[in-house]
Amino acid sequence: MYPEYMVAPIRQDLVEAGFEQLMTPEEVDSALSTQTGTVLVAVNSVCGCAAAKARPALKMALSSSDKKPAKLVTVFAGMETEAVAKVREHMLPYPPSSPSIALFKDGELVHMIERYHIEGNDLMRIVDNLQGAFAEYC
């Protein structure tokens, strides 16, 4: 676990972009299991690729897309471990990865961006990847 003072501004980055912070497994299940429509999940992290690529790509893709997910949610790796574990259950068969981004439609995982897709790509490729998923599923 990280000190909250260190994590707070990183959490706030996505909250200010319209993401709801999920803190418990029950909140995760409520957002992902009973939701109709589309839900974008960001597994946030303190790592450099989250700061330099994942969060900026999420914000750019959302601000410049005509089609967008109905709901935006986030969990923070290394903090609310039970909520993160529950999100990762919903992301199976993909292995745990942070940062990562998943798109769900009607409770089913339809698009996944793992850490290696984030750290191994430039920012605009991640934005294009997200926008393509939004266009297809939202």
Side-chain angles (χ1 to χ4, degrees), residues 17-113:
F19 284 78
E20 175 189 352
Q21 180 72 44
L22 303 179
M23 306 298 274
T24 67
E26 294 78 20
E27 290 175 346
V28 170
D29 275 340
S30 177
L32 298 181
S33 297
T34 60
Q35 181 71 27
T36 56
T38 52
V39 181
L40 184 66
V41 180
V43 178
N44 204 350
S45 173
V46 298
C47 72
C49 64
K53 295 182 181 180
R55 290 191 302 272
L58 284 162
K59 293 185 291 186
M60 287 176 70
L62 290 165
S63 69
S64 60
S65 294
D66 292 331
K67 292 185 171 185
K68 298 175 187 168
K71 186 173 180 94
L72 309 173
V73 299
T74 183
V75 294
F76 205 104
M79 294 301 287
E80 294 75 35
T81 56
E82 292 176 355
V84 173
K86 184 56 76 172
V87 162
R88 288 177 171 160
E89 284 179 24
H90 286 274
M91 292 177 170
L92 289 172
Y94 294 94
S97 176
S98 60
S100 60
I101 303 165
L103 182 63
F104 290 82
K105 183 170 185 173
D106 299 333
E108 297 295 322
L109 178 63
V110 294
H111 191 77
M112 183 73 182
I113 301 174

Side-chain angles (χ1 to χ4, degrees), residues 5-28:
Y5 72 86
M6 184 174 148
V7 172
I10 302 169
R11 285 185 201 274
Q12 194 61 27
D13 191 25
L14 289 182
V15 169
E16 288 175 0
F19 284 78
E20 175 189 352
Q21 180 72 44
L22 303 179
M23 306 298 274
T24 67
E26 294 78 20
E27 290 175 346
V28 170

